[in-house]
Amino acid sequence: MQRSAGLAQWNGAGHLLMFSRELQHFYDPTLDQVAARTGIGRGALIMRAVADDFDHDLPIELDSGLLLYRPVLSDQSWRSGYNGEYVKCGPLAREMMQRALELEGLDENLI
């Protein structure tokens, strides 16, 4: 579990999870949103992972408790909401995506 001073940008993001197959890292920047209600320490979860870890439930032990990530690969409903918000941005969508990648320190030319 790594703490981050810049988690406010993720408030209201729903529950967002990211997995980088190339870097073999799993990220949950929105874990902070449930910290107060669950007793889990504040911060973003950043941990090493491989694709096979998501073939089954993924338990993660922390000092303050146990997290259980339950992948439901057949549930793709998040795509509709994401695509709907993206479309609402119209012509600014690409520019917004590039800026978001820049802020995260990633190469904006990936898209």
Side-chain angles (χ1 to χ4, degrees):
M1 181 90 142
Q2 292 185 355
R3 297 184 64 128
S4 172
L7 290 175
Q9 66 196 10
W10 298 106
N11 286 343
H15 197 166
L16 176 68
L17 307 174
M18 296 174 279
F19 172 64
S20 170
R21 188 180 307 265
E22 294 78 20
L23 298 176
Q24 294 188 335
H25 272 81
F26 173 65
Y27 306 91
D28 184 351
T30 56
L31 188 61
D32 213 40
Q33 294 180 16
V34 299
R37 284 175 273 170
T38 61
I40 293 170
R42 297 190 61 114
L45 176 72
I46 303 171
M47 62 173 275
R48 303 258 317 146
V50 295
D52 290 346
D53 291 333
F54 302 99
D55 289 342
H56 46 76
D57 289 352
L58 180 61
I60 300 168
E61 290 186 43
L62 302 172
D63 292 339
S64 54
L66 176 72
L67 290 174
L68 178 63
Y69 287 93
R70 177 161 285 163
V72 182
L73 301 178
S74 61
D75 182 0
Q76 299 292 314
S77 59
W78 65 270
R79 290 182 188 274
S80 298
Y82 175 86
N83 291 337
E85 291 300 315
Y86 191 80
V87 167
K88 286 181 195 175
C89 297
L92 295 177
R94 184 177 175 86
E95 182 180 332
M96 291 170 60
M97 179 62 74
Q98 286 177 325
R99 183 65 182 135
L101 290 171
E102 287 172 2
L103 290 172
E104 293 297 319
L106 301 171
D107 183 356
E108 69 274 11
N109 293 316
L110 291 174
I111 60 170

